[in-house]
Amino acid sequence: MTSHYLGTTHSVDNQPVALENYNLFRADRALQEAVVREGAAWAQQDLVDFGRLAGLPATIALGFDANHYKPELRTHDRYGHRIDQINFHPAYHELMRIAIENGLHSSPWQSPGAGAHVARAAKYYLHTQVEAAHGCPITMTFAAIPALQHQPDLLAAYGPKIIANTYDPRNVPDGQKQGLTIGMAMTEKQGGSDVRSNSTRAYPVGQRGPGQAYELVGHKWFVSAPMCDAFLVLAQTEGGLSCFFLPRWRPDGTKNELQIQQLKQKMGNVANASSETELRGALAWMVGEEGRGVRTIIEMVAMTRYDCMIGSSSGMRQAAAQAIHHAQNRAAFGSRLSEQPLMQNVLADLAIENEAAMTLTMRVARSMDQQDNEHERLLSRIATPVGKYWICKRTPNHAYEAMEVIGGTGTMDTHITARLFRESPINAIWEGSGNVQCLDILRALQKEPEVLAAYFTEVERAQGADKRLDASIQKLKQQFAAGGDAETLQYRARSMADQMALTLQAALLVQHAPTAVADAFCAGRLGGQEGLNYGTLPRGVDTKTIIERAAPNE
C-alpha cells in the first residue's frame, strides 16, 4: 500500500533556469560593436569561440568551485623543510590554464598591432565574467612586461617565458618551466599606498646599479598571488627607492628567501591567494635606475589599473545579464517582472551603466594600441585614472542592485550575484583607491597640462548632439578655468573626477550607442539627477529597447 505522505510535496515553477549554455560574446551587442569600432574586427571569430567556451556549464562551474574551495598555505613539508606552497582547487588551475593558453596575459606583447589591446580587453571582459579572482596573476603577468622593458637583459632572459601561452603551476625553479607568471610586492604595513615610506632594504651582493644582484630584507604587507614565479618588488637602496626582480627560486635551484607568513582572509577575491611575506635576504636584480623605483614600477601599475577597469566593467555586465535574465523569466503580481514599469526602470539603468563602463574601457584600449599618436597617448594618461576611479567605484552598488532584482536567491553563494557583490569593492581599493586615482589625475594635469586639451578634444567630438552633454562640457571647462591652489584643487578632486567620467562616457555613447542608450544616460546622469539610486531614470526613456539590447540572448 502506497502512503500518501511519500508523494511529491510541491513542484518548482516560476523559477528561471540558470543562465548558461549561451555565448557571452554573441549575447552582448554592445561589446560586439565596440570590438569592431575600436579596431579589432579581425578578432571576432576568436571572440565568438571564446564566448562559447565562457558560457558552458562546465566553465561556469569552475568559478564556483574555485571560490568554494579556498587556497591553503603549507609553509613546511612533512619533513620540516620550508616550502611556502599554496594549494589550489583544480578549478583554479583550469581557469588559469584557459586564460594563459588564450593569451590574456600577453597577447598584445606577442602580436602587437592594430586592435591588439582591444581584442585582449574583450576576451578578458568575457573571461572574468566567469571568475574574477584568478585575473589578479593574469593581470600582473600582463603588466610586468612594460616595467621589465626598463631592464633589457632581464627582459631578454625572462620575457619569452612570461609571454608564452603555457601554464605550469608547479612549485619548481623557473628553469624547469616553459611559462612563468609574475606578481608584484609594493605595499608595506606602515605605508600602504605611500610606497615611498617602504622600509624594506636592498643590499648589493657585488656591484651596485641596474641589472645587478641584491639581497632584500623586509616585510611586504599585501602580496597577491604569491605562487607566481617571480615578483617586481620595491626596496630602499643607498640611492633611494628602487625596483627589483625577485624570483621564487635562486639560479642554483635553491629556494629563495621569500617566506609566506599567512594568507589574508578576504571578503571577496577568494579564489586568489593574498599574503603577508617576509624577505630574509631574498636574491633579486635591480630593474631600471637606482632610486627611480616608482617610475619603473608605475609602468606595471598603470596597466593593472586599466585591467581594473576591464574587470569592474565585466562584473557589471554579468550582474546586468543575470538581473535581466531573471526578470524576463519570473512573474509577480500578474505579469513578468521585465514587463513591469518600475522594474524596467531598474534594469535599463543597470544596462546603461554597464554599457557606459565598457564603452569607455574599450576606447582606452584603442588608445593603448596607438601610443605613437600623441592625442591617444595623452588621452590614455588621463582617461585611465578617471576610468579606474569612476567605473570601479560604481560597481558595488551596481552589483547590489542586480542582486536585489533577483531577491533572496541572489544573496546565496549558490548564485553568482553573491560572488559578484563580494568581489565588487576590490578593484576600487586595489591598485590605488579612489583618492589615489584623483591625486593621479591632478598629477597628470600638473606634469603634462596637454592631457586636459586631449580630454576636451575627445569629448567635444560629440558636441552639439545633446544639450545636456554640451552643458556638462561647459560646466567642466568653467571648473578648470576657476583653478585654485593645490589644497583647493585636491579638496574638490572627486567632484571633478566624477564630472570628467560622466562627460566622457556620455560623449562616447552619444557618438556610438543607439539613441535610446545615449539619451537615457544623458537624462539619468547629466540631467540633474547625478548620484541618485539606480531605477530613477526620468520619464520618456525607452527602457524596453535598452533592456532588449542588453538581454543575454543570442
Side-chain angles (χ1 to χ4, degrees), residues 191-206:
S193 294
D194 182 13
V195 295
R196 295 187 185 278
S197 67
N198 281 7
S199 61
T200 296
R201 300 292 305 182
Y203 301 94
V205 174

Side-chain angles (χ1 to χ4, degrees), residues 179-234:
L180 304 176
T181 54
I182 307 298
M184 177 169 54
M186 296 192 298
T187 309
E188 297 185 7
K189 52 185 176 288
Q190 76 282 350
S193 294
D194 182 13
V195 295
R196 295 187 185 278
S197 67
N198 281 7
S199 61
T200 296
R201 300 292 305 182
Y203 301 94
V205 174
Q207 292 184 333
R208 290 173 49 186
Q212 298 301 317
Y214 287 71
E215 289 186 339
L216 275 55
V217 178
H219 180 273
K220 292 297 177 180
W221 182 239
F222 216 106
V223 180
S224 273
M227 283 301 288
C228 286
D229 296 292
F231 303 85
L232 287 174
V233 182
L234 292 180

Side-chain angles (χ1 to χ4, degrees), residues 130-261:
V130 175
E131 205 288 312
H134 79 285
C136 185
I138 298 300
T139 283
M140 291 190 294
T141 302
F142 170 68
I145 293 297
L148 285 175
Q149 288 172 347
H150 289 265
Q151 198 58 47
D153 55 336
L154 288 174
L155 181 62
Y158 290 94
K161 289 187 178 182
I162 294 173
I163 67 173
N165 290 0
T166 302
Y167 176 59
D168 187 341
R170 294 178 299 155
N171 186 14
V172 298
D174 56 77
Q176 299 179 27
K177 295 187 174 189
Q178 297 304 309
L180 304 176
T181 54
I182 307 298
M184 177 169 54
M186 296 192 298
T187 309
E188 297 185 7
K189 52 185 176 288
Q190 76 282 350
S193 294
D194 182 13
V195 295
R196 295 187 185 278
S197 67
N198 281 7
S199 61
T200 296
R201 300 292 305 182
Y203 301 94
V205 174
Q207 292 184 333
R208 290 173 49 186
Q212 298 301 317
Y214 287 71
E215 289 186 339
L216 275 55
V217 178
H219 180 273
K220 292 297 177 180
W221 182 239
F222 216 106
V223 180
S224 273
M227 283 301 288
C228 286
D229 296 292
F231 303 85
L232 287 174
V233 182
L234 292 180
Q236 301 285 358
T237 67
E238 290 182 20
L241 190 65
S242 304
C243 182
F244 296 87
F245 182 82
L246 189 157
R248 296 188 77 241
W249 295 81
R250 288 173 175 254
D252 62 3
T254 60
K255 185 183 176 303
N256 209 353
E257 293 301 314
L258 181 151
Q259 297 184 356
I260 303 171
Q261 302 303 300

Side-chain angles (χ1 to χ4, degrees), residues 15 326 330 337 400-418:
Q15 288 286 346
H326 178 87
R330 184 169 171 83
L337 291 175
Y400 158 71
E401 288 289 352
M403 187 165 59
E404 185 178 289
V405 168
I406 294 165
T409 302
T411 68
M412 306 299 163
D413 281 338
T414 50
H415 201 289
I416 195 172
T417 51

